[in-house]
Amino acid sequence: MRLIHTVERLRDALAGARATAFVPTMGNLHAGHLDLVHRARQAGEPVVASIFVNPLQFGAGEDYDRYPRTLEADCTLLESVGTDIVFAPDAAEIYPEPQTFLVQPPLTDELCGAFRPGHFAGVCTVVLKLFNVVQPRLAVFGKKDYQQLFLIKAMVRQLNLPIEIIEGETVRAADGLALSSRNTYLSESERAEAPRLHELLRRMTLRMAAGERDFAALEAWARNELEAHGWRVDYVSVRSQATLLPPQPGENRVVVLAAARLGATRLIDNLEVSWH
Ligand code: PAF
């Protein structure tokens, strides 16, 4: 496995290479990321993973400075799952000029976008830049970041990028908590409470599958349950899988998404459900 820090060296390393499969990350890797690498490897092409904590997608007061940087451990993990190249640039390498949003994605006032102004413009900008640097044939993104995945697929369509987007399923701890680099921020008691988020989403999807269609009532129920257990809720929302907007009457493929804070830690999760 090669560890490369600059665009120029990466370009040299990839010159004449076959098509590649790409897994962009911000490091501090866990089993969810490694699963994305497994998905990439299934394509049978050399795998490039990037590790870059992207300043452009963090808002003022968010956790950019304290986001865990664990390059050495990350490289050991990436090597163990057969990654060929790790691209780990610093911020000046990716943003040699003043950082600006190059992409204005849709739905930025919705869901996480409403609470993290500029976040998705920052994500799409860096992903587009990384796509241009790596020029992969396919790239893998996790469904845990459902809105991010949705917007990246939209960007690829709208900009006609010749890149196949592969979706990785959310990997969960035994108690249901979705794996996330931010779980390391949780205290012991917060970690014990954290699976409630997934459990409530699961119960919402079961109730919908059993015929409940009053989405607003289900959202309010889950919000109340979370708040009763000390969470500060940004949103719990039932959305259309096709548009990520509130479902139209009769729509039968939805996703329930939530973001809520336990202490200083913001957790997100989602579950899809459909019926006939
Ligand atoms: O999901 C992430 O880790 C990041 O948002 C991504 C896609 C690597 C862009 O910085």
Side-chain angles (χ1 to χ4, degrees):
M1 189 181 81
R2 291 185 64 185
L3 172 62
I4 296 177
H5 296 286
T6 67
V7 171
E8 200 183 335
R9 283 191 180 227
L10 183 68
R11 289 235 159 100
D12 285 349
L14 292 175
R18 285 183 293 132
T20 54
F22 180 41
V23 182
T25 82
M26 297 206 302
N28 194 232
L29 304 181
H30 50 65
H33 296 107
L34 302 186
D35 197 58
L36 303 182
V37 176
H38 284 304
R39 296 298 309 271
R41 274 175 57 86
Q42 280 165 8
E45 291 158 359
V47 174
V48 179
S50 64
I51 297 178
F52 178 61
V53 185
N54 172 33
L56 204 57
Q57 71 188 72
F58 288 80
E62 290 190 352
D63 55 347
Y64 176 69
D65 288 329
R66 71 181 181 120
Y67 199 85
R69 276 122 172 125
T70 52
L71 183 62
E72 217 172 300
D74 292 343
C75 286
T76 305
L77 287 172
L78 287 171
E79 184 149 37
S80 74
V81 290
T83 307
D84 295 280
I85 295 179
V86 177
F87 177 50
D90 65 15
E93 183 67 16
I94 293 295
Y95 298 114
E97 295 161 59
Q99 300 165 20
T100 46
F101 297 136
L102 303 173
V103 184
Q104 188 53 57
L107 297 173
T108 46
D109 296 338
E110 300 287 332
L111 303 167
C112 282
F115 296 89
R116 303 188 68 188
H119 171 68
F120 289 114
V123 168
C124 287
T125 296
V126 81
V127 169
L128 181 59
K129 285 173 72 88
L130 291 167
F131 280 173
N132 284 333
V133 171
V134 178
Q135 303 196 354
R137 186 185 74 71
L138 65 89
V140 191
F141 294 86
K143 282 168 88 167
K144 154 98 178 355
D145 295 299
Y146 201 91
Q147 188 174 11
Q148 167 175 288
L149 172 64
F150 187 92
L151 295 181
I152 287 167
K153 288 196 291 189
M155 176 174 78
V156 163
R157 270 196 317 277
Q158 291 177 9
L159 295 178
N160 302 100
L161 303 178
I163 300 172
E164 184 188 346
I165 301 299
I166 308 280
E167 306 184 359
E169 292 301 327
T170 302
V171 178
R172 298 181 180 280
D175 59 12
L177 177 65
L179 298 193
S180 161
S181 302
R182 292 191 166 98
N183 293 350
T184 55
Y185 298 155
L186 297 169
S187 70
E188 208 175 310
S189 60
E190 289 166 348
R191 176 62 189 81
E193 170 61 24
R196 189 180 309 279
L197 187 60
H198 169 249
E199 178 54 21
L200 289 170
L201 298 187
R202 200 180 68 82
R203 285 160 71 182
M204 285 177 77
T205 59
L206 288 175
R207 287 169 64 171
M208 284 186 264
E212 273 192 58
R213 295 291 174 267
D214 187 345
F215 301 144
L218 284 167
E219 289 164 359
W221 169 76
R223 173 182 281 270
N224 288 338
E225 287 286 318
L226 288 167
E227 286 175 351
H229 290 87
W231 297 67
R232 283 180 299 127
V233 180
D234 282 355
Y235 63 84
V236 178
S237 193
V238 178
R239 295 292 171 112
S240 155
Q241 286 181 27
T243 64
L244 222 48
L245 292 169
Q248 296 296 310
E251 213 164 337
N252 64 350
R253 287 164 53 79
V254 306
V255 52
V256 42
L257 306 104
R261 286 163 213 271
L262 259 185
T265 307
R266 184 175 189 273
L267 299 177
I268 62 172
D269 204 349
N270 66 79
L271 276 184
E272 292 175 328
V273 57
S274 52
W275 54 84
H276 299 293

